Amino acid sequence: SLYTTAPQTIQVHHTQYLIATVPMVTYGIFRYLYLLHRWKAGENPARELLGDRHIIVTGFIWAATTIWLIS
């Protein structure tokens, strides 16, 4: 969150709206934590990240939003 509001980041990316991507990242982190605790996952993080539809959709939305804001 602090990175998205730093003056250097705003200057480099020419946008002050990268803060809008923080809820998506937060959701992705908490979803992964949910998988770890609820389903006792975590042995293979790549499988959990690439196998969960919520995380995949959130990742695509985050990437599209970031590209849209930067371009």
Side-chain angles (χ1 to χ4, degrees):
S1 297
L2 292 174
Y3 173 78
T4 63
T5 60
Q8 298 87 356
T9 304
I10 293 170
Q11 183 180 13
V12 167
H13 297 294
H14 308 292
T15 184
Q16 61 185 3
Y17 300 111
L18 284 175
I19 192 78
T21 62
V22 171
M24 292 167 261
V25 173
T26 304
Y27 175 77
I29 290 170
F30 279 107
R31 175 67 183 182
Y32 182 68
L33 289 173
Y34 168 77
L35 293 175
L36 287 177
H37 292 287
R38 176 72 173 146
W39 303 109
K40 307 293 185 214
E43 293 178 12
N44 187 350
R47 183 174 40 129
E48 274 93 31
L49 292 175
L50 297 175
D52 185 62
R53 288 172 42 195
H54 290 261
I55 292 177
I56 292 171
V57 170
T58 302
F60 280 123
I61 293 170
W62 171 82
T65 304
T66 302
I67 291 168
W68 177 64
L69 288 171
I70 290 177
S71 60

